[in-house]
Amino acid sequence: VRIDHVGIAVENLEEAIRMYEETAGLVVTHREEVATQKVRVAFLGHAGDPEGAAEIELLEPTGKEGAIASFLAKRGPGMHHIAFHADSVGTEMDRLKSSGRPPLDAAPRPGARGHHVCFLHPKHCGGVLLELVGAPK
Ligand code: CO
């Protein structure tokens, strides 16, 4: 199994980046605003990580709306999701639909870093929000 990243909801992206730099020696590998999900994200890893190594995704809401804003309002900052790599998100989604664990989205949606992603509701996954991440387009 390959974990693509662990997603963490934060209230202040810059403060959170500094904390991971200072505690775990991570560096920012990518920054992006994902308008469709109303978040600003930063991916962090170690400078010498091989291609495809798991990263940390910090997610800061851009306003009061969206899944991350409501997560923070309800539960405060902390772990939000685990993302696994998938060769084809569309194929995995078809498989999941027929296995009784339908994804939250009807079709793969654009995620950060030009990837196709889909999310699985925690109610189908033992209380953990799962994300599947495909290869970049
Ligand atoms: Co993610």
Side-chain angles (χ1 to χ4, degrees), residues 74-75 80-81 96 100-105 109 118-132:
K74 231 188 287 177
R75 319 207 0 203
H80 181 258
H81 64 272
L96 288 159
R101 290 187 176 88
L104 283 167
D105 308 288
R109 67 161 112 161
C118 83
F119 285 90
L120 293 175
H121 197 283
K123 73 183 173 193
H124 297 310
C125 306
V128 179
L129 177 64
L130 295 188
E131 177 183 4
L132 299 178

Side-chain angles (χ1 to χ4, degrees), residues 24-47:
L26 302 188
V27 294
V28 174
T29 58
H30 181 77
R31 280 174 184 265
E32 186 175 342
E33 182 166 332
V34 186
T36 52
Q37 296 179 42
K38 299 184 169 62
V39 288
R40 248 185 308 276
V41 306
F43 285 84
L44 294 92
H46 281 129

